[in-house]
Amino acid sequence: MAMASDLYLRYYVEHKGKFGHEFLESEFQPDGKFRYANNNYKNDVMIRKEVYMHKSLMEELKRIIDDSEIRKEDDALWPPPDRAGQREREPPCPAHISFATSKIGSLIDVNQSKDPEGLRVFYYLIQDLKCLVFSLIGLYFKIKPI
């Protein structure tokens, strides 16, 4: 289902530890394609899926992003990515912007950061996006969320 849109969103989170490299990547493309990749180091299994989403779902994704007001934020004071892990998100907008920070374990990490208000916006948007992504996975791919 091809559609014209200016929406491009990529979310990437990784963790490197004693068991190896684990990552999860979700990408929403302007033509409605949703791509998902999950490298689960414990089972040594790579999951890669893609599907074209309905226009109404793309509109809901845009609404979630707009309501979050993430475009008003700046990651300059957020904890930088480190060896333990990182999160990245590229929100859609006319000018390319990208956010990157270290692994966020909980709201305690957010509240103890140098920019708790901005990082909180990012944290809650990521929670919303994860719910959407795992719903898509269950709906389209019949894969149980981890």
Side-chain angles (χ1 to χ4, degrees), residues 40-135:
N40 184 347
Y41 67 87
K42 291 179 182 176
N43 295 327
D44 198 27
V45 173
M46 172 73 81
I47 299 169
R48 289 187 186 272
K49 301 288 182 175
E50 62 181 51
V51 67
Y52 283 91
M53 299 186 326
H54 191 272
K55 179 182 177 184
S56 62
L57 194 49
M58 293 294 286
E59 290 169 0
E60 179 63 12
L61 178 62
K62 285 175 111 172
R63 186 200 62 76
I64 290 169
I65 293 164
D66 290 342
D67 287 355
S68 77
E69 299 185 337
I70 190 67
R71 293 181 183 120
K72 296 179 181 177
E73 301 305 326
D74 182 341
D75 65 355
L77 297 177
W78 298 358
D82 58 20
R83 182 178 157 13
Q86 69 179 8
R87 290 176 180 241
E88 299 174 11
R89 194 177 89 61
E90 297 176 40
C93 66
H96 179 86
I97 57 174
S98 178
F99 297 104
T101 187
S102 64
K103 184 177 177 186
I104 303 170
S106 70
L107 280 174
I108 293 171
D109 297 332
V110 170
N111 292 332
Q112 293 176 348
S113 75
K114 293 178 181 176
D115 180 17
E117 291 179 27
L119 197 54
R120 191 173 297 112
V121 169
F122 180 79
Y123 178 84
Y124 282 122
L125 176 58
I126 294 306
Q127 298 309 309
D128 290 344
L129 292 174
K130 284 169 58 175
C131 288
L132 178 64
V133 165
F134 287 127
S135 296

Side-chain angles (χ1 to χ4, degrees), residues 1-10 25-36 49-54 58 61-62 92:
M1 176 177 295
M3 64 191 74
S5 172
D6 60 349
L7 177 72
Y8 173 81
L9 173 71
R10 178 179 165 266
E25 181 177 32
S26 301
E27 182 181 46
F28 298 89
Q29 298 179 358
D31 62 357
K33 185 187 286 186
F34 167 67
R35 295 177 59 220
Y36 172 83
K49 301 288 182 175
E50 62 181 51
V51 67
Y52 283 91
M53 299 186 326
H54 191 272
M58 293 294 286
L61 178 62
K62 285 175 111 172

